[in-house]
Amino acid sequence: KNILIDIDNNFKSINSLNYFTDKYFISQSTLNRLFKEYLRTSPKYYLETKKLANSRRLLKNGASVLYACMESGFTDYSNYIRLFKKRFSITPKQYKDNMA
């Protein structure tokens, strides 16, 4: 529960699952097992989903693609675009243009 609250509050600054293993003294395998058991997903996927949801909200409100990328906690612009397209079958720019 504390990890989920932490993700909600700090998803922008979390760039690695090591953040959780160090902060909560939990192994990566235990973290993965608990997420699979209770949320039916991986911690990486859950964190990416939070970041992408924030990104979509920013794009919908007229933010630039680069701003949405950085404000959502992605550190690599090209990986952000690749992940966005993989999840939504549309690029962030196309999504923004469709929302306009």
Side-chain angles (χ1 to χ4, degrees):
K1 184 176 177 182
N2 290 337
I3 291 174
L4 296 179
I5 292 168
D6 201 356
I7 290 174
D8 285 343
N9 294 333
N10 302 307
F11 67 89
K12 294 177 188 178
S13 62
I14 301 170
N15 294 319
S16 166
L17 297 182
N18 290 338
Y19 170 86
F20 303 112
T21 58
D22 295 343
K23 184 173 181 178
Y24 295 100
F25 306 104
I26 187 172
S27 71
Q28 190 129 5
S29 60
T30 300
L31 180 66
N32 282 317
R33 182 179 49 77
L34 290 171
F35 264 76
K36 290 281 186 196
E37 183 178 335
Y38 292 106
L39 300 175
R40 307 279 186 245
T41 190
S42 71
K44 180 182 179 198
Y45 192 88
Y46 186 86
L47 180 59
E48 287 174 349
T49 300
K50 283 285 183 190
K51 290 181 178 201
L52 287 170
N54 187 64
S55 164
R56 287 176 64 183
R57 181 185 58 78
L58 291 169
L59 292 169
K60 193 174 188 178
N61 291 330
S64 72
V65 175
L66 179 60
Y67 181 81
C69 170
M70 295 303 158
E71 276 300 301
S72 299
F74 292 98
T75 57
D76 187 317
Y77 186 68
S78 60
N79 282 339
Y80 160 70
I81 292 173
R82 180 191 49 76
L83 180 63
F84 195 101
K85 187 169 184 174
K86 180 180 176 185
R87 291 277 188 96
F88 306 120
S89 301
I90 190 172
T91 66
K93 173 84 168 96
Q94 290 168 329
Y95 179 83
K96 179 184 175 179
D97 292 345
N98 288 343
M99 292 294 118

